Amino acid sequence: MKNYARIILKPKREASVLRRHPWIFSGGIVRVEGKPETGALVVVHSAGGEFLAWGHYSPHSQIRARLVSWDADETPDTPTFWRGRIQRAIAGRVPILSPTINACRLVHAESDGIPGLIVDRYAGTVVVQYLTAGTEARRELFTDLLWELLSPRSLYERSDADVRQKEGLASRVGLLRGVEPPGSVEIIENGLYFGIDVRQGHKSGFYLDQRENRQRLRDLVAGMACTGPSPDLLNAFAYTGGFAVYGLAGGVVSVVNVDTSADVLRQGRENLARNGFETASVEDIVGDAFAVLRDLRQAGRQFDVIVLDPPKFAFTQRDVQKAARGYKDINMQALHLLRPGGLLLTFSCSGAISADLFQKILFGAALDAGVEARIIGTLTQGRDHPVALTFPEGAYLKGLVVERAYHG
Ligand code: SAH
Protein backbone atom coordinates (compact mmCIF):
# COMPACT_ATOMS: atom_id res chain seq x y z
CA MET A 1 0.00 0.00 0.00
CA LYS A 2 2.97 2.26 0.54
CA ASN A 3 3.48 2.75 -3.19
CA TYR A 4 0.15 4.49 -3.58
CA ALA A 5 -0.60 8.17 -3.15
CA ARG A 6 -2.76 8.96 -0.13
CA ILE A 7 -5.77 11.19 0.29
CA ILE A 8 -6.09 12.43 3.87
CA LEU A 9 -9.57 13.52 4.88
CA LYS A 10 -10.51 16.36 7.20
CA PRO A 11 -11.53 15.37 10.71
CA LYS A 12 -15.02 13.78 10.85
CA ARG A 13 -15.21 13.49 7.08
CA GLU A 14 -14.74 9.71 7.24
CA ALA A 15 -18.36 9.07 8.23
CA SER A 16 -19.70 8.73 4.67
CA VAL A 17 -16.76 6.53 3.69
CA LEU A 18 -17.45 4.23 6.63
CA ARG A 19 -21.05 4.02 5.38
CA ARG A 20 -19.54 2.98 2.04
CA HIS A 21 -20.70 5.96 0.06
CA PRO A 22 -18.45 5.89 -3.02
CA TRP A 23 -17.66 9.61 -3.43
CA ILE A 24 -14.98 11.80 -1.83
CA PHE A 25 -15.63 15.50 -2.43
CA SER A 26 -12.72 17.93 -2.78
CA GLY A 27 -14.03 19.92 0.21
CA GLY A 28 -13.53 16.94 2.53
CA ILE A 29 -9.82 16.57 1.79
CA VAL A 30 -7.02 18.01 3.92
CA ARG A 31 -4.18 17.02 1.61
CA VAL A 32 -3.01 14.58 -1.03
CA GLU A 33 0.29 12.90 -0.29
CA GLY A 34 2.31 11.84 -3.32
CA LYS A 35 1.65 12.80 -6.92
CA PRO A 36 -1.14 10.58 -8.21
CA GLU A 37 -1.74 10.57 -11.94
CA THR A 38 -5.22 11.30 -13.21
CA GLY A 39 -7.34 8.20 -12.59
CA ALA A 40 -4.68 6.49 -10.45
CA LEU A 41 -5.55 4.14 -7.60
CA VAL A 42 -5.15 6.02 -4.32
CA VAL A 43 -5.63 5.14 -0.67
CA VAL A 44 -8.01 7.18 1.44
CA HIS A 45 -7.14 7.78 5.07
CA SER A 46 -8.98 9.42 7.92
CA ALA A 47 -7.56 12.50 9.61
CA GLY A 48 -6.26 10.12 12.28
CA GLY A 49 -4.34 8.11 9.68
CA GLU A 50 -6.55 4.97 9.53
CA PHE A 51 -7.06 3.16 6.23
CA LEU A 52 -10.58 3.77 4.93
CA ALA A 53 -10.81 2.78 1.29
CA TRP A 54 -9.28 2.59 -2.18
CA GLY A 55 -10.38 4.99 -4.87
CA HIS A 56 -9.71 6.47 -8.28
CA TYR A 57 -8.21 9.94 -8.25
CA SER A 58 -9.92 12.60 -10.30
CA PRO A 59 -8.03 15.91 -9.96
CA HIS A 60 -10.40 18.01 -12.08
CA SER A 61 -13.70 16.95 -10.57
CA GLN A 62 -15.43 18.13 -7.41
CA ILE A 63 -15.79 14.40 -6.79
CA ARG A 64 -12.07 14.06 -6.22
CA ALA A 65 -12.09 10.29 -5.73
CA ARG A 66 -14.53 7.48 -6.48
CA LEU A 67 -14.16 4.55 -4.15
CA VAL A 68 -13.83 1.02 -5.42
CA SER A 69 -12.91 -1.05 -2.35
CA TRP A 70 -13.01 -0.85 1.42
CA ASP A 71 -10.74 -3.86 1.93
CA ALA A 72 -7.20 -3.01 3.09
CA ASP A 73 -5.96 -6.49 2.18
CA GLU A 74 -6.70 -6.40 -1.54
CA THR A 75 -5.21 -4.38 -4.37
CA PRO A 76 -8.31 -3.54 -6.35
CA ASP A 77 -6.64 -2.93 -9.66
CA THR A 78 -5.79 -6.27 -11.23
CA PRO A 79 -7.49 -7.70 -14.32
CA THR A 80 -8.84 -10.47 -12.07
CA PHE A 81 -10.41 -7.94 -9.72
CA TRP A 82 -12.15 -6.06 -12.53
CA ARG A 83 -13.15 -9.22 -14.38
CA GLY A 84 -14.88 -10.33 -11.19
CA ARG A 85 -16.76 -7.05 -10.82
CA ILE A 86 -17.91 -7.06 -14.44
CA GLN A 87 -18.91 -10.73 -14.31
CA ARG A 88 -20.96 -10.08 -11.18
CA ALA A 89 -22.75 -7.18 -12.86
CA ILE A 90 -23.51 -9.18 -15.99
CA ALA A 91 -24.73 -12.17 -13.96
CA GLY A 92 -27.30 -9.88 -12.31
CA ARG A 93 -28.86 -9.18 -15.73
CA VAL A 94 -29.24 -12.77 -16.83
CA PRO A 95 -32.84 -12.97 -15.52
CA ILE A 96 -33.80 -9.89 -17.57
CA LEU A 97 -32.62 -11.12 -20.94
CA SER A 98 -34.93 -13.54 -22.71
CA PRO A 99 -36.04 -14.47 -26.23
CA THR A 100 -38.21 -11.33 -26.15
CA ILE A 101 -35.68 -8.93 -24.56
CA ASN A 102 -32.17 -8.62 -25.99
CA ALA A 103 -31.27 -5.12 -24.87
CA CYS A 104 -30.41 -4.05 -21.35
CA ARG A 105 -27.91 -2.23 -19.18
CA LEU A 106 -25.19 -4.67 -18.10
CA VAL A 107 -23.10 -2.38 -15.91
CA HIS A 108 -24.56 0.60 -14.03
CA ALA A 109 -21.49 2.35 -12.65
CA GLU A 110 -21.41 2.99 -8.89
CA SER A 111 -24.41 0.74 -8.27
CA ASP A 112 -22.43 -2.17 -9.72
CA GLY A 113 -19.23 -1.29 -7.86
CA ILE A 114 -17.57 0.15 -10.97
CA PRO A 115 -17.78 3.96 -10.75
CA GLY A 116 -17.86 5.64 -14.13
CA LEU A 117 -18.51 2.53 -16.22
CA ILE A 118 -21.75 2.12 -18.17
CA VAL A 119 -22.24 -0.88 -20.44
CA ASP A 120 -25.40 -1.38 -22.50
CA ARG A 121 -26.17 -4.33 -24.73
CA TYR A 122 -28.24 -3.88 -27.89
CA ALA A 123 -28.53 -7.34 -29.45
CA GLY A 124 -25.02 -8.08 -30.82
CA THR A 125 -23.76 -4.56 -30.20
CA VAL A 126 -22.32 -3.50 -26.86
CA VAL A 127 -22.00 0.20 -26.09
CA VAL A 128 -19.58 1.34 -23.40
CA GLN A 129 -19.23 4.71 -21.68
CA TYR A 130 -16.05 5.63 -19.80
CA LEU A 131 -17.29 8.58 -17.79
CA THR A 132 -14.63 9.24 -15.16
CA ALA A 133 -10.87 9.69 -14.88
CA GLY A 134 -10.67 6.25 -13.25
CA THR A 135 -12.39 4.40 -16.09
CA GLU A 136 -10.60 6.49 -18.72
CA ALA A 137 -7.23 5.49 -17.23
CA ARG A 138 -8.29 1.81 -17.48
CA ARG A 139 -9.97 1.98 -20.88
CA GLU A 140 -7.72 -0.61 -22.50
CA LEU A 141 -8.23 -3.07 -19.65
CA PHE A 142 -12.02 -2.60 -19.56
CA THR A 143 -12.24 -2.79 -23.35
CA ASP A 144 -10.30 -6.08 -23.33
CA LEU A 145 -12.41 -7.51 -20.51
CA LEU A 146 -15.73 -6.57 -22.15
CA TRP A 147 -14.58 -8.02 -25.45
CA GLU A 148 -13.50 -11.22 -23.70
CA LEU A 149 -16.59 -11.60 -21.51
CA LEU A 150 -19.32 -10.55 -23.95
CA SER A 151 -17.88 -11.39 -27.41
CA PRO A 152 -20.17 -8.90 -29.17
CA ARG A 153 -20.17 -8.27 -32.91
CA SER A 154 -19.36 -4.63 -32.17
CA LEU A 155 -17.97 -2.96 -29.09
CA TYR A 156 -18.72 0.73 -29.54
CA GLU A 157 -17.71 3.68 -27.35
CA ARG A 158 -20.10 6.54 -26.50
CA SER A 159 -18.01 8.48 -24.00
CA ASP A 160 -19.77 11.73 -24.89
CA ALA A 161 -21.90 12.33 -21.79
CA ASP A 162 -21.69 15.75 -20.13
CA VAL A 163 -20.06 14.35 -16.97
CA ARG A 164 -16.84 13.78 -18.92
CA GLN A 165 -16.34 17.57 -18.99
CA LYS A 166 -16.49 17.75 -15.20
CA GLU A 167 -13.77 15.10 -15.14
CA GLY A 168 -11.65 17.18 -17.53
CA LEU A 169 -12.08 14.61 -20.29
CA ALA A 170 -12.90 15.28 -23.96
CA SER A 171 -15.67 13.35 -25.70
CA ARG A 172 -14.77 10.15 -27.42
CA VAL A 173 -17.03 8.18 -29.76
CA GLY A 174 -16.16 5.31 -32.07
CA LEU A 175 -15.64 1.62 -32.68
CA LEU A 176 -13.40 -0.11 -30.11
CA ARG A 177 -13.48 -3.72 -31.34
CA GLY A 178 -15.30 -5.81 -33.94
CA VAL A 179 -17.24 -4.57 -36.94
CA GLU A 180 -18.88 -1.17 -37.43
CA PRO A 181 -22.44 -1.43 -36.12
CA PRO A 182 -25.23 -0.78 -38.62
CA GLY A 183 -26.83 2.70 -38.70
CA SER A 184 -29.79 1.18 -36.92
CA VAL A 185 -29.20 -1.78 -34.60
CA GLU A 186 -32.40 -3.77 -34.31
CA ILE A 187 -33.39 -4.95 -30.85
CA ILE A 188 -36.39 -6.73 -29.38
CA GLU A 189 -37.92 -5.47 -26.14
CA ASN A 190 -40.89 -7.23 -24.60
CA GLY A 191 -41.54 -8.72 -28.03
CA LEU A 192 -41.52 -5.33 -29.78
CA TYR A 193 -38.89 -4.19 -32.28
CA PHE A 194 -36.85 -0.99 -32.18
CA GLY A 195 -33.99 0.41 -34.25
CA ILE A 196 -31.20 1.95 -32.17
CA ASP A 197 -28.77 4.56 -33.47
CA VAL A 198 -25.82 3.75 -31.23
CA ARG A 199 -23.65 6.44 -32.84
CA GLN A 200 -25.89 9.45 -32.32
CA GLY A 201 -28.90 8.37 -30.30
CA HIS A 202 -29.44 9.82 -26.84
CA LYS A 203 -27.42 8.25 -24.03
CA SER A 204 -26.11 5.03 -25.57
CA GLY A 205 -28.98 5.01 -28.11
CA PHE A 206 -32.15 4.16 -26.19
CA TYR A 207 -33.88 4.85 -22.88
CA LEU A 208 -33.44 1.35 -21.51
CA ASP A 209 -34.38 2.63 -18.05
CA GLN A 210 -38.02 3.03 -19.21
CA ARG A 211 -38.46 -0.57 -20.39
CA GLU A 212 -40.69 -1.65 -17.51
CA ASN A 213 -42.68 1.58 -17.59
CA ARG A 214 -43.36 1.21 -21.31
CA GLN A 215 -44.69 -2.27 -20.53
CA ARG A 216 -46.79 -0.79 -17.73
CA LEU A 217 -48.38 1.61 -20.20
CA ARG A 218 -49.13 -1.27 -22.55
CA ASP A 219 -50.83 -3.22 -19.73
CA LEU A 220 -52.80 -0.20 -18.55
CA VAL A 221 -54.16 0.66 -22.00
CA ALA A 222 -54.95 -3.00 -22.67
CA GLY A 223 -56.99 -2.97 -19.46
CA MET A 224 -58.80 0.18 -20.53
CA ALA A 225 -59.49 -1.26 -23.99
CA CYS A 226 -61.04 -4.35 -22.35
CA THR A 227 -63.46 -2.38 -20.25
CA GLY A 228 -64.45 0.49 -22.53
CA PRO A 229 -63.76 2.16 -25.84
CA SER A 230 -60.11 1.95 -26.95
CA PRO A 231 -58.18 4.90 -25.51
CA ASP A 232 -56.11 7.44 -27.40
CA LEU A 233 -52.58 8.48 -26.37
CA LEU A 234 -50.66 11.72 -26.18
CA ASN A 235 -46.94 10.91 -26.00
CA ALA A 236 -45.06 14.07 -25.08
CA PHE A 237 -41.24 14.04 -25.27
CA ALA A 238 -41.64 11.04 -27.53
CA TYR A 239 -38.04 10.41 -28.67
CA THR A 240 -38.13 7.42 -31.06
CA GLY A 241 -41.65 6.48 -30.08
CA GLY A 242 -41.05 3.86 -27.41
CA PHE A 243 -44.27 4.61 -25.54
CA ALA A 244 -46.16 5.03 -28.84
CA VAL A 245 -45.27 1.52 -30.01
CA TYR A 246 -46.15 -0.01 -26.63
CA GLY A 247 -49.40 1.95 -26.55
CA LEU A 248 -50.41 0.65 -29.97
CA ALA A 249 -49.42 -2.88 -28.92
CA GLY A 250 -51.75 -2.46 -25.94
CA GLY A 251 -54.61 -1.32 -28.15
CA VAL A 252 -54.72 2.49 -28.32
CA VAL A 253 -56.68 3.76 -31.32
CA SER A 254 -54.45 6.73 -32.05
CA VAL A 255 -51.28 8.48 -30.91
CA VAL A 256 -50.04 12.06 -30.94
CA ASN A 257 -46.25 12.25 -30.53
CA VAL A 258 -44.58 15.52 -29.55
CA ASP A 259 -40.84 16.16 -29.71
CA THR A 260 -38.57 19.07 -30.63
CA SER A 261 -36.53 16.80 -32.89
CA ALA A 262 -37.99 15.91 -36.29
CA ASP A 263 -35.24 13.34 -36.67
CA VAL A 264 -36.21 11.25 -33.65
CA LEU A 265 -39.86 11.33 -34.76
CA ARG A 266 -38.78 10.07 -38.19
CA GLN A 267 -37.00 7.19 -36.45
CA GLY A 268 -40.21 6.67 -34.51
CA ARG A 269 -42.01 6.11 -37.85
CA GLU A 270 -39.52 3.36 -38.66
CA ASN A 271 -40.22 1.79 -35.27
CA LEU A 272 -43.96 1.84 -36.01
CA ALA A 273 -43.30 0.02 -39.29
CA ARG A 274 -41.06 -2.53 -37.54
CA ASN A 275 -44.07 -3.55 -35.48
CA GLY A 276 -46.70 -3.51 -38.20
CA PHE A 277 -48.22 -0.18 -37.14
CA GLU A 278 -47.33 1.81 -40.27
CA THR A 279 -51.00 2.44 -41.03
CA ALA A 280 -51.97 3.28 -37.44
CA SER A 281 -53.40 6.71 -36.74
CA VAL A 282 -50.27 8.54 -35.56
CA GLU A 283 -49.76 12.30 -35.65
CA ASP A 284 -46.26 13.69 -35.10
CA ILE A 285 -45.91 17.25 -33.86
CA VAL A 286 -42.46 18.81 -33.99
CA GLY A 287 -42.28 21.48 -31.34
CA ASP A 288 -41.67 22.53 -27.77
CA ALA A 289 -43.98 20.46 -25.58
CA PHE A 290 -44.58 23.43 -23.27
CA ALA A 291 -46.16 25.34 -26.17
CA VAL A 292 -47.69 22.34 -27.96
CA LEU A 293 -49.62 21.20 -24.87
CA ARG A 294 -51.09 24.71 -24.59
CA ASP A 295 -51.98 24.72 -28.30
CA LEU A 296 -53.68 21.33 -27.99
CA ARG A 297 -55.71 22.62 -25.07
CA GLN A 298 -56.71 25.74 -26.97
CA ALA A 299 -57.78 23.53 -29.85
CA GLY A 300 -60.05 21.71 -27.41
CA ARG A 301 -58.22 18.39 -27.70
CA GLN A 302 -58.46 15.77 -24.95
CA PHE A 303 -56.83 12.38 -24.41
CA ASP A 304 -57.49 9.20 -22.43
CA VAL A 305 -53.82 8.53 -21.72
CA ILE A 306 -50.91 10.96 -21.60
CA VAL A 307 -47.21 10.19 -21.17
CA LEU A 308 -44.88 12.98 -20.06
CA ASP A 309 -41.24 11.88 -20.17
CA PRO A 310 -39.19 15.08 -20.35
CA PRO A 311 -35.40 15.32 -20.33
CA LYS A 312 -33.58 16.22 -17.14
CA PHE A 313 -34.65 19.69 -15.95
CA ALA A 314 -32.50 19.86 -12.78
CA PHE A 315 -28.79 19.17 -13.14
CA THR A 316 -27.84 20.33 -9.66
CA GLN A 317 -29.52 21.28 -6.42
CA ARG A 318 -29.43 24.89 -7.58
CA ASP A 319 -31.75 24.13 -10.50
CA VAL A 320 -34.44 22.51 -8.37
CA GLN A 321 -36.82 25.47 -8.04
CA LYS A 322 -36.78 26.34 -11.71
CA ALA A 323 -37.10 22.69 -12.65
CA ALA A 324 -40.03 22.27 -10.28
CA ARG A 325 -41.82 25.12 -12.04
CA GLY A 326 -41.22 23.43 -15.39
CA TYR A 327 -42.54 20.08 -14.16
CA LYS A 328 -45.55 21.77 -12.62
CA ASP A 329 -46.36 23.62 -15.82
CA ILE A 330 -46.32 20.62 -18.15
CA ASN A 331 -48.19 18.45 -15.66
CA MET A 332 -50.85 21.11 -15.20
CA GLN A 333 -51.29 21.31 -18.97
CA ALA A 334 -51.43 17.53 -19.19
CA LEU A 335 -54.09 17.29 -16.48
CA HIS A 336 -56.20 19.82 -18.40
CA LEU A 337 -55.84 17.66 -21.52
CA LEU A 338 -56.81 14.46 -19.73
CA ARG A 339 -60.38 13.23 -20.08
CA PRO A 340 -62.15 12.40 -16.82
CA GLY A 341 -61.14 8.85 -15.90
CA GLY A 342 -57.98 9.18 -18.00
CA LEU A 343 -54.43 8.26 -16.98
CA LEU A 344 -51.29 10.38 -16.86
CA LEU A 345 -47.92 8.59 -16.72
CA THR A 346 -45.56 11.34 -15.67
CA PHE A 347 -41.81 11.15 -15.10
CA SER A 348 -38.81 13.04 -13.81
CA CYS A 349 -35.29 11.78 -14.48
CA SER A 350 -33.72 14.59 -12.44
CA GLY A 351 -31.83 13.04 -9.53
CA ALA A 352 -32.13 16.35 -7.67
CA ILE A 353 -35.95 16.10 -7.67
CA SER A 354 -36.90 13.56 -4.99
CA ALA A 355 -39.91 11.27 -5.34
CA ASP A 356 -41.47 13.19 -2.49
CA LEU A 357 -41.00 16.54 -4.18
CA PHE A 358 -42.26 15.16 -7.47
CA GLN A 359 -45.48 14.06 -5.80
CA LYS A 360 -45.85 17.53 -4.28
CA ILE A 361 -45.34 19.08 -7.71
CA LEU A 362 -48.16 16.92 -9.08
CA PHE A 363 -50.34 17.97 -6.18
CA GLY A 364 -49.68 21.64 -7.02
CA ALA A 365 -50.35 21.00 -10.71
CA ALA A 366 -53.69 19.33 -9.99
CA LEU A 367 -54.69 22.10 -7.61
CA ASP A 368 -53.90 24.80 -10.16
CA ALA A 369 -55.61 22.86 -12.92
CA GLY A 370 -58.67 22.50 -10.72
CA VAL A 371 -58.63 18.79 -11.39
CA GLU A 372 -59.30 16.00 -8.94
CA ALA A 373 -56.77 13.22 -9.37
CA ARG A 374 -55.20 10.36 -7.46
CA ILE A 375 -52.06 8.28 -7.70
CA ILE A 376 -52.74 4.71 -8.73
CA GLY A 377 -49.14 3.64 -9.25
CA THR A 378 -45.52 4.64 -8.71
CA LEU A 379 -42.84 4.02 -11.30
CA THR A 380 -39.07 3.82 -11.21
CA GLN A 381 -36.05 2.96 -13.34
CA GLY A 382 -35.78 -0.58 -14.70
CA ARG A 383 -34.19 -3.29 -12.61
CA ASP A 384 -31.12 -3.31 -14.86
CA HIS A 385 -30.49 0.18 -13.37
CA PRO A 386 -30.20 -0.92 -9.73
CA VAL A 387 -29.60 1.44 -6.82
CA ALA A 388 -26.91 0.44 -4.33
CA LEU A 389 -28.26 1.13 -0.83
CA THR A 390 -24.97 2.87 -0.09
CA PHE A 391 -25.53 5.17 -3.08
CA PRO A 392 -29.00 6.72 -3.04
CA GLU A 393 -27.91 9.15 -5.80
CA GLY A 394 -28.27 6.16 -8.12
CA ALA A 395 -32.07 6.52 -7.94
CA TYR A 396 -32.88 9.18 -10.51
CA LEU A 397 -35.97 8.12 -12.47
CA LYS A 398 -39.32 8.46 -10.79
CA GLY A 399 -42.81 8.40 -12.17
CA LEU A 400 -46.43 8.42 -11.14
CA VAL A 401 -49.54 6.97 -12.69
CA VAL A 402 -52.17 9.61 -12.01
CA GLU A 403 -55.85 9.02 -12.67
CA ARG A 404 -58.13 11.95 -13.25
CA ALA A 405 -61.40 11.60 -11.36
CA TYR A 406 -64.49 10.82 -13.44
CA HIS A 407 -66.15 13.92 -12.09
CA GLY A 408 -64.81 17.44 -11.54
N1 SAH B 1 -40.01 8.53 -23.71
C1 SAH B 1 -38.84 8.29 -24.53
C2 SAH B 1 -37.64 9.06 -24.04
C3 SAH B 1 -37.82 10.56 -23.96
S1 SAH B 1 -36.31 11.44 -23.89
C4 SAH B 1 -38.57 6.79 -24.60
O1 SAH B 1 -39.18 5.99 -23.84
O2 SAH B 1 -37.76 6.39 -25.41
C5 SAH B 1 -36.78 13.09 -23.96
C6 SAH B 1 -37.15 13.61 -25.34
O3 SAH B 1 -37.63 14.95 -25.16
C7 SAH B 1 -36.02 13.71 -26.36
O4 SAH B 1 -36.38 13.02 -27.51
C8 SAH B 1 -35.89 15.22 -26.67
O5 SAH B 1 -35.66 15.48 -28.06
C9 SAH B 1 -37.24 15.73 -26.30
N2 SAH B 1 -37.33 17.13 -25.85
C10 SAH B 1 -36.46 17.84 -25.11
N3 SAH B 1 -36.97 19.06 -24.80
C11 SAH B 1 -38.19 19.11 -25.38
C12 SAH B 1 -39.23 20.08 -25.40
N4 SAH B 1 -39.09 21.26 -24.79
N5 SAH B 1 -40.37 19.78 -26.07
C13 SAH B 1 -40.52 18.60 -26.70
N6 SAH B 1 -39.57 17.64 -26.69
C14 SAH B 1 -38.44 17.88 -26.05
Side-chain angles (χ1 to χ4, degrees), residues 11 26 32 53 64 103 112 125 180 194 209 238 240 257 270 273 277 294 299 321 327 344 365 369 384-386 407-408:
S26 57
V32 178
R64 197 52 50 88
D112 278 304
T125 297
E180 273 293 336
F194 294 93
D209 53 358
T240 54
N257 288 313
E270 291 169 10
F277 297 130
R294 279 194 167 72
Q321 275 207 346
Y327 286 120
L344 167 65
D384 49 341
H385 294 60
H407 54 83

Side-chain angles (χ1 to χ4, degrees), residues 14 35 45 64 83 99 102 114 149 153 174 184 198 204 208 231 235 280 313 316 323 334 359 365 376 379 389 393:
E14 69 277 12
K35 288 203 167 56
H45 286 269
R64 197 52 50 88
R83 184 182 290 107
N102 67 5
I114 316 179
L149 291 170
R153 268 176 61 74
S184 188
V198 297
S204 65
L208 290 169
N235 183 26
F313 288 168
T316 67
Q359 183 172 329
I376 60 162
L379 307 168
L389 287 168
E393 292 85 346

Side-chain angles (χ1 to χ4, degrees), residues 41 59 126 146 150 180 190 195 224 247 273 308 341 348 354:
L41 185 68
V126 169
L146 291 170
L150 296 167
E180 273 293 336
N190 290 315
M224 289 167 100
L308 283 187
S348 163
S354 67

Side-chain angles (χ1 to χ4, degrees), residues 200-202 237-241 257-269 284-289:
Q200 287 173 28
H202 294 185
F237 307 93
Y239 192 50
T240 54
N257 288 313
V258 182
D259 204 287
T260 38
S261 161
D263 190 51
V264 298
L265 292 174
R266 184 192 50 69
Q267 291 176 52
R269 289 274 154 189
D284 289 334
I285 303 179
V286 179
D288 177 1

